[in-house]
Amino acid sequence: MSRLVLVLGDQLSPGLSALRAADKARDIVVMAEVMEEATYVSHHRQKIVLVLAAMRKFAKRLRAEGWTVAYTTLDDARNTGSIGGELLRRAAERGAAERGAAERGATAVLATAPGEWRLRALLNDLPLPVTQLPDDRFLCGEDAFAAWAEGRKALRMEYFYREMRRKTGLLMEGAEPAGGKWNYDAENRKPATADLFLPDPYTAPEDPITEAVLALVEARFPDGVGRLRPFRFATDEAGAQAAADRFFAQALPRYGDFQDAMLTGQRFLYHAVLSPYINLGLLDPIALCRRAEAEWRAGRAPLNAVEGFVRQIIGWREFIRGIYFLAGPGYTARNALAAERPLPAFYWTGETKMHCMAQAIGQTMDEAYAHHIQRLMVTGNFALLAGISPQALHEWYLAVYADAYEWVEAPNTIGMSQFADGGMVASKPYAASGAYIDRMSDYCRHCAYDVKRKSGDGACPLNPLYWDFLMRHRDRFAGNPRMAQMYRSWDRMAPERQLASRASATAILAQLDRGEPV
Ligand code: FAD
Ligand code: DLZ
Ligand code: SF4
């Protein structure tokens, strides 16, 4: 009897383990556009278009390669609305079609384990025999990560990354790292200046499948989150490769230098903007790393850029996924700093006088993209300092970015950005005052607030909120050697300045509690 082979919206890889294990001649691929996946958070509308258009094109490709694909569109009248419902419906159809199926037992389902606990549980609970195969598109499987983590007092990305370098041989000269150093991050912190040449972002040409999905999403989600057009994303492997070509030719050489920089109106800088494609399965992350290494070996990109790129992918990306599955399904509920404030409404509109926040949120709504430093040091930092609920923030990040799936978004938000996992991902909180934003960007020059003012009217809100955060959590962080200097600075501050700072923070937090923008 034939089996059903589930391919989810972020499993669009021809070499997917479930497809490799299936029999093209007999088994049936099941793909389904369903409201449950489109609405478990209020996804940005461009993200919905990206996933659905890419699913349609992948199904077309599979059919051209000889697979039988049972594909459900969002507007199909028989659509049950959920992945579980669609599998049961397809299983019932198979049972009816294949004589004697009932006696031989229920139709079996073959899947690659989803990147989210919610869907893994759903598949486990289905009244069908389901096999979930490991997702071997990742370098480090869940068991291998658990073995690496076993017995370690702290899990630090740097040591994990070195293992991955050794495992892949990427940027290695025998047993030694290329250039003699594992990590060139210290060279990757140059602020951007407005006279930099900046490459244009990749924009995919229009095509009928994407246009049809854009029309569908416009009709089904008229009040949904985010701008819908212009829609830049590629929705198939060839388009994703074209975006990668652009990155390697135009941005990689300066990727390292300006990795932490931010510039008004410049939404992409030298970033890859490839995470939406990598996470869907349209690009192979290790092949991208090999290509980056080849650029360095050919003398077309410096080592600090290439090492930085490779580290983000085989270091951070793999480490983050390892943490998500190691920590278990309760990870997203963690709240080590007991932060309970609701998410301010301006996270959905960008309507705030804080120029850094308005820039990061505005471009997020327009592009379903913001680069790492905007996510970590602007929207993430504000939420951390203001004591916003990590769960509310987690839902926001999961919703608004085209690359957001829980396995990658949650450890970045709950762990790296909010320290809500108590230090599993980060060794100290990524908390910063306005001085950091001023150093790394031109934002403060365009802001209604004064970054140099520490308290009172017109002072940059991050300044008093920063000290307030440190004081609220003094018991937890004062003993951290990487933070001791900041506590000493506070203790040396004149008492009247301390009082003014705390009073300003209290006023800003009260403003947030009244639902007023800052
Ligand atoms: P580049 O800066 O050009 O980096 C190259 C690649 O490295 C990326 O495409 C990505 O695949 C990988 N990478 C870099 N940093 C990370 C990281 N910390 N974790 C995982 N992969 C990384 N990334 C997501 O893919 N999905 C998310 O939902 C997501 N949510 C985030 C939430 C917060 C609060 C923070 C601080 C970071 C989050 N990140 C997430 C990580 C990072 O911001 C994005 O991967 C990156 O901005 C994607 O843009 P890019 O392709 O231009 O990346
Ligand atoms: C994100 C998403 C969306 C918007 N829609 C679908 C869908 O209709 N069908 C589907 O199979 N997958 C979709 N996805 C991706 C899933 O939510 C993703 O597979 C899980 O979050 C696991 O990472
Ligand atoms: Fe952001 Fe403060 Fe600078 Fe304004 S002054 S852009 S709020 S850091």
Side-chain angles (χ1 to χ4, degrees), residues 24 63 79 94 119 163 185 197 210 307 339 395 420 424 464:
K24 197 186 272 187
R63 284 190 181 120
N79 193 326
R94 291 324 308 153
L119 279 177
E163 296 275 311
D185 204 23
F197 162 76
T210 309
E307 187 281 319
E395 285 197 13
M424 227 178 146

Side-chain angles (χ1 to χ4, degrees), residues 255 271-275 279 312 369 372 375 403-404 409 412:
Y255 173 85
H271 289 276
V273 201
L274 294 179
S275 49
N279 295 350
Q312 303 312 319
Y369 176 83
H372 187 66
R375 298 187 205 194
D403 58 20
E409 176 279 329
N412 270 301

Side-chain angles (χ1 to χ4, degrees), residues 94-374:
R94 291 324 308 153
E98 294 183 12
R99 278 195 326 125
E103 296 84 68
R104 287 198 299 273
T107 307
V109 176
L110 200 53
T112 292
E116 200 181 333
W117 287 110
R118 172 184 64 93
L119 279 177
R120 288 190 178 187
L122 181 143
L123 293 184
N124 280 336
D125 294 347
L126 270 186
L128 294 172
V130 181
T131 306
Q132 298 193 46
L133 300 169
D135 190 344
D136 53 14
R137 295 176 299 169
F138 293 88
L139 202 56
C140 182
E142 292 153 40
D143 293 345
F145 190 84
W148 174 80
E150 178 81 35
R152 285 175 195 263
K153 262 201 354 233
L155 306 179
R156 290 296 157 248
M157 192 288 294
E158 182 61 30
Y159 298 110
F160 171 79
Y161 166 55
R162 292 179 190 179
E163 296 275 311
M164 295 300 108
R165 289 271 294 275
R166 291 193 188 95
K167 179 173 176 175
T168 55
L170 276 161
L171 295 176
M172 295 298 290
E173 309 284 4
E176 298 303 315
K181 277 202 305 187
W182 290 102
N183 185 319
Y184 290 82
D185 204 23
E187 293 172 30
N188 292 353
R189 292 178 191 144
K190 294 196 179 73
T193 50
D195 56 352
L196 281 178
F197 162 76
L198 293 163
D200 289 333
Y202 178 77
T203 301
E206 282 184 16
D207 70 83
I209 293 181
T210 309
E211 277 304 313
V213 177
L214 275 160
L216 172 73
V217 170
E218 204 157 26
R220 292 292 289 268
F221 303 91
D223 304 316
V225 168
R227 187 180 75 175
L228 191 56
R229 296 169 196 266
F231 180 83
R232 292 183 199 277
F233 293 111
T235 47
D236 57 16
E237 190 183 324
Q241 285 296 351
D245 291 347
R246 171 206 153 274
F247 168 66
F248 285 113
Q250 297 188 26
L252 177 67
R254 308 191 87 175
Y255 173 85
D257 288 353
F258 301 106
Q259 218 177 338
D260 288 4
M262 296 171 282
L263 212 50
T264 296
Q266 295 295 343
R267 298 174 163 186
F268 308 99
L269 296 168
Y270 297 101
H271 289 276
V273 201
L274 294 179
S275 49
Y277 311 128
I278 302 174
N279 295 350
L280 280 180
L282 298 179
L283 290 178
D284 172 356
I286 307 307
L288 290 172
C289 291
R290 299 231 179 267
R291 194 167 161 194
E293 177 172 9
E295 291 295 298
W296 170 63
R297 293 204 183 273
R300 287 190 292 266
L303 185 55
N304 71 310
V306 171
E307 187 281 319
F309 182 73
V310 167
R311 173 162 27 89
Q312 303 312 319
I313 292 186
I314 65 169
W316 277 113
R317 186 169 185 270
E318 295 280 338
F319 178 75
I320 282 290
R321 180 173 185 272
I323 294 280
Y324 178 75
F325 285 112
L326 183 72
Y331 186 76
T332 54
R334 293 200 188 185
N335 193 354
L337 303 183
E340 302 291 355
R341 193 160 270 114
L343 188 73
F346 60 76
Y347 269 76
W348 299 103
T349 62
E351 286 165 12
T352 155
K353 286 192 297 174
M354 298 177 72
H355 185 61
C356 52
M357 291 286 282
Q359 285 283 304
I361 296 169
Q363 78 165 70
T364 296
M365 291 303 147
D366 284 354
E367 312 283 356
Y369 176 83
H371 62 73
H372 187 66
I373 292 300
Q374 293 176 309

Side-chain angles (χ1 to χ4, degrees), residues 8-10 32-34 37-38 40 43 51-52 55 83 115-116 119:
L8 290 166
D10 58 351
E33 302 172 4
V34 292
E37 295 309 305
Y40 61 81
H43 298 291
V51 175
L52 301 194
M55 284 176 67
I83 297 293
E116 200 181 333
L119 279 177

Side-chain angles (χ1 to χ4, degrees), residues 354-356 434 437 443-444 447 449-451 460-462:
M354 298 177 72
H355 185 61
C356 52
I437 308 282
Y443 289 159
C444 302
C447 188
Y449 292 111
D450 182 351
V451 72
C460 166
L462 297 178

